[in-house]
Amino acid sequence: MPVASGSDNAAERVLESARFISEHSTDVSVPESGVRQAAAQITARMQSSGYSTAAWKTHTLTPSTADASAIEWIFVVDTLNFSFWSARASPAEQYTVTLDGHAYRGYWSLCAAINRALRESVEITRAAYYAGASTDQLAHVFRTDQPDLQEPIPLLDQRVHALNEAGRVLLAKYGGKFANVVAAAQGSAQRLVELVVREFACFRDEHEFQGRRVALYKRAQILVADIWACFEGRGLGRFDDIDRITMFADYRVPQALCHFGALEYSPRLREYLRRSEVAVRQGTRETQPPEPGMLPTGHAWELEIRGNSIWAVELIRRHMRAAGADVNAILIDFYMWDYAKAHAEAMGAEPIHLTRSIYY
């Protein structure tokens, strides 16, 4: 089944898929007035804070030096960058990795686990290691602080498979280095996304919606964006077409878009999501919509949320550019993700969709 766009370009397929989903959605919409309001607010906030790609390296756990080892670190992290939400209501019971006295949860727990392993002399960023790493070995790498109390990292078996597969491809075709994949893209972000989704099956974020194949490629695009941000657009991180990359459709940025008024859910979907958050945390995890529980990967509501989020950020980007802001979808996404994490309590009124998926 063809993807919604017939384009041979991965990034263009994502944007055309997002447009197609938005035009055929029944329970998620992108209000024009909300888009204008969000664009104005985000512009003002980004300008007042001086937000730029430099913000990426200000995080304690990300590589502080843009070099070949940073490329391999980013690839491993983004190969595993999926499904960190917790079904446990109490933070004390959630998957947690403590490093340098700080307890990390969510996405940052993954980064902390990788850095902890490197300090313990585990070659977790070398393809020769992770291509053959066993479940037991990786369970130790990604161990939680208190196994008797806290949940383990979600989807461990899928993470093992993703790392094994990625390592084997790198060893067989790219000399064991993801930096060689980056070099093969010859300075094109779109070409690099295409290479990643072609070579590494776990990045192939494609689904069926309204009789069409749609492509969202969240992890493939954020992989490119992380490299660009780490290198601040220079050296291996220079991509002349970086502005063609879209936002990265996950579960946190849609919440922020709703908060800013750029994304709107139907009453029935909003009620379903609210009840699902309660049901999942009470242990009802596998029921199918419309019964509250986890929203299955590929369900129409999940795809409407993700596709409309991409389209909303694209429209926000256009408004901001028209007003003179030098911005792309990556910076908007990074800003909104950071904002959502920093203002999680204030955004508690906006529900998130709960899906266990290897794609985000």
Side-chain angles (χ1 to χ4, degrees):
M1 178 179 293
V3 177
S5 165
S7 172
D8 292 330
N9 182 286
E12 287 182 4
R13 289 200 298 276
V14 173
L15 194 59
E16 288 305 309
S17 293
R19 183 201 293 267
F20 177 81
I21 291 171
S22 186
E23 290 174 348
H24 294 83
S25 292
T26 58
D27 288 276
V28 184
S29 59
V30 180
E32 174 61 25
S33 60
V35 166
R36 288 197 303 270
Q37 177 180 309
Q41 289 187 34
I42 294 168
T43 298
R45 292 172 187 268
M46 289 179 72
Q47 288 177 343
S48 65
S49 65
Y51 198 85
S52 71
T53 54
W56 192 90
K57 286 192 285 190
T58 64
H59 293 292
T60 304
L61 298 174
T62 54
S64 57
T65 303
D67 56 17
S69 65
I71 294 277
E72 306 308 321
W73 185 95
I74 290 169
F75 178 65
V76 167
V77 167
D78 282 328
T79 298
L80 302 172
N81 184 4
F82 54 84
S83 198
F84 294 107
W85 61 266
S86 177
R88 307 284 180 89
S90 170
E93 298 179 357
Q94 295 171 4
Y95 175 70
T96 305
V97 176
T98 297
L99 194 66
D100 296 329
H102 188 95
Y104 294 97
R105 299 180 183 88
Y107 165 77
W108 294 115
S109 65
L110 169 66
C111 300
I114 295 293
N115 290 351
R116 178 180 62 188
L118 291 171
R119 293 185 188 183
E120 294 172 349
S121 300
V122 178
E123 296 181 305
I124 188 62
T125 59
R126 288 189 67 239
Y129 171 80
Y130 59 76
S134 68
T135 299
D136 286 345
Q137 287 175 306
L138 292 176
H140 180 72
V141 167
F142 299 114
R143 66 192 183 275
T144 193
D145 286 349
Q146 301 180 60
D148 294 338
L149 174 65
Q150 296 163 340
E151 63 185 342
I153 189 170
L155 303 182
L156 175 64
D157 288 345
Q158 290 87 336
R159 295 179 199 277
V160 173
H161 179 78
L163 273 182
N164 290 168
E165 174 202 58
R168 288 194 293 267
V169 171
L170 289 180
L171 291 172
K173 303 178 72 172
Y174 293 98
K177 300 286 187 182
F178 186 71
N180 292 332
V181 183
V182 177
Q186 299 178 315
S188 168
Q190 297 177 91
R191 192 174 297 122
L192 184 51
V193 172
E194 191 67 49
L195 277 170
V196 169
V197 299
R198 186 182 73 203
E199 298 283 23
F200 306 99
C202 69
F203 284 87
R204 215 166 292 147
D205 185 3
E206 297 176 357
H207 312 271
E208 185 178 350
F209 180 80
Q210 298 287 343
R212 300 288 293 273
R213 195 76 177 161
V214 292
L216 302 179
Y217 301 150
K218 183 263 185 179
R219 288 196 295 111
Q221 291 201 109
I222 202 169
L223 169 60
V224 176
D226 282 344
I227 294 169
W228 173 70
C230 178
F231 284 76
E232 297 186 57
R234 297 188 289 268
L236 281 173
R238 177 178 175 179
F239 301 108
D240 294 332
D241 56 351
I242 193 65
D243 289 350
R244 303 299 292 276
I245 299 298
T246 72
M247 69 82 74
F248 322 118
D250 63 357
Y251 50 85
R252 186 60 68 186
V253 174
Q255 184 189 37
L257 286 167
C258 288
H259 176 76
F260 280 104
L263 201 64
E264 190 170 276
Y265 299 155
S266 69
R268 70 169 181 170
L269 176 55
R270 179 173 285 273
E271 178 61 19
Y272 168 80
L273 295 177
R274 290 187 191 283
R275 291 164 57 210
S276 292
E277 287 186 301
V278 174
V280 167
R281 287 176 170 82
Q282 289 178 343
T284 308
R285 303 183 187 181
E286 303 298 337
T287 55
Q288 301 290 308
E291 293 299 319
M294 286 197 295
L295 200 56
T297 298
H299 188 274
W301 283 349
E302 184 223 15
L303 296 176
E304 286 191 22
I305 292 169
R306 298 183 72 203
N308 278 282
S309 295
I310 294 171
W311 192 240
V313 170
E314 170 61 16
L315 296 180
I316 290 170
R317 183 194 69 83
R318 293 179 186 180
H319 277 282
M320 292 175 69
R321 297 276 294 188
D326 183 15
V327 69
N328 58 27
I330 296 171
L331 280 177
I332 297 170
D333 182 285
F334 282 177
Y335 174 79
M336 296 193 78
W337 191 89
D338 285 340
Y339 182 91
K341 295 293 284 186
H343 299 84
E345 188 172 335
M347 291 199 300
E350 301 296 342
I352 65 171
H353 68 285
L354 302 177
T355 297
R356 282 286 180 227
S357 169
I358 67 166
Y359 299 119
Y360 63 102

mmCIF file of all heavy atoms in Angstrom, residues 76 91 171 174 194 315 325:
data_model
loop_
_atom_site.group_PDB
_atom_site.id
_atom_site.type_symbol
_atom_site.label_atom_id
_atom_site.label_comp_id
_atom_site.label_asym_id
_atom_site.label_seq_id
_atom_site.Cartn_x
_atom_site.Cartn_y
_atom_site.Cartn_z
ATOM 1 N N VAL A 76 22.481 5.506 19.499
ATOM 2 C CA VAL A 76 22.008 4.506 20.456
ATOM 3 C C VAL A 76 20.797 5.043 21.227
ATOM 4 O O VAL A 76 19.785 4.352 21.387
ATOM 5 C CB VAL A 76 23.135 4.093 21.423
ATOM 6 C CG1 VAL A 76 22.578 3.293 22.609
ATOM 7 C CG2 VAL A 76 24.184 3.269 20.685
ATOM 8 N N PRO A 91 5.828 8.461 41.859
ATOM 9 C CA PRO A 91 7.185 8.536 41.311
ATOM 10 C C PRO A 91 8.140 7.534 41.967
ATOM 11 O O PRO A 91 9.074 7.053 41.326
ATOM 12 C CB PRO A 91 7.604 9.977 41.606
ATOM 13 C CG PRO A 91 6.319 10.731 41.666
ATOM 14 C CD PRO A 91 5.339 9.785 42.286
ATOM 15 N N LEU A 171 27.458 -3.046 11.382
ATOM 16 C CA LEU A 171 28.645 -3.887 11.186
ATOM 17 C C LEU A 171 28.713 -4.428 9.763
ATOM 18 O O LEU A 171 29.797 -4.491 9.164
ATOM 19 C CB LEU A 171 28.637 -5.044 12.184
ATOM 20 C CG LEU A 171 28.855 -4.668 13.653
ATOM 21 C CD1 LEU A 171 28.626 -5.882 14.547
ATOM 22 C CD2 LEU A 171 30.258 -4.101 13.872
ATOM 23 N N TYR A 174 28.232 -0.541 7.279
ATOM 24 C CA TYR A 174 28.756 0.807 7.528
ATOM 25 C C TYR A 174 29.970 0.822 8.450
ATOM 26 O O TYR A 174 30.211 1.816 9.132
ATOM 27 C CB TYR A 174 27.642 1.687 8.103
ATOM 28 C CG TYR A 174 26.529 1.944 7.111
ATOM 29 C CD1 TYR A 174 25.355 1.190 7.149
ATOM 30 C CD2 TYR A 174 26.656 2.906 6.109
ATOM 31 C CE1 TYR A 174 24.341 1.394 6.232
ATOM 32 C CE2 TYR A 174 25.642 3.128 5.189
ATOM 33 C CZ TYR A 174 24.485 2.369 5.256
ATOM 34 O OH TYR A 174 23.481 2.577 4.330
ATOM 35 N N GLU A 194 15.822 9.165 5.019
ATOM 36 C CA GLU A 194 15.527 8.090 4.075
ATOM 37 C C GLU A 194 16.427 6.873 4.316
ATOM 38 O O GLU A 194 15.959 5.727 4.328
ATOM 39 C CB GLU A 194 15.704 8.596 2.642
ATOM 40 C CG GLU A 194 15.183 7.658 1.577
ATOM 41 C CD GLU A 194 13.668 7.515 1.608
ATOM 42 O OE1 GLU A 194 12.968 8.536 1.645
ATOM 43 O OE2 GLU A 194 13.200 6.361 1.615
ATOM 44 N N LEU A 315 1.978 24.611 10.658
ATOM 45 C CA LEU A 315 1.255 25.877 10.518
ATOM 46 C C LEU A 315 1.797 26.938 11.476
ATOM 47 O O LEU A 315 1.897 28.121 11.102
ATOM 48 C CB LEU A 315 -0.244 25.655 10.759
ATOM 49 C CG LEU A 315 -0.955 24.734 9.755
ATOM 50 C CD1 LEU A 315 -2.433 24.608 10.105
ATOM 51 C CD2 LEU A 315 -0.791 25.239 8.319
ATOM 52 N N ALA A 325 10.437 35.413 12.233
ATOM 53 C CA ALA A 325 11.234 34.552 13.118
ATOM 54 C C ALA A 325 12.040 33.555 12.284
ATOM 55 O O ALA A 325 11.510 32.932 11.370
ATOM 56 C CB ALA A 325 10.334 33.809 14.098
#
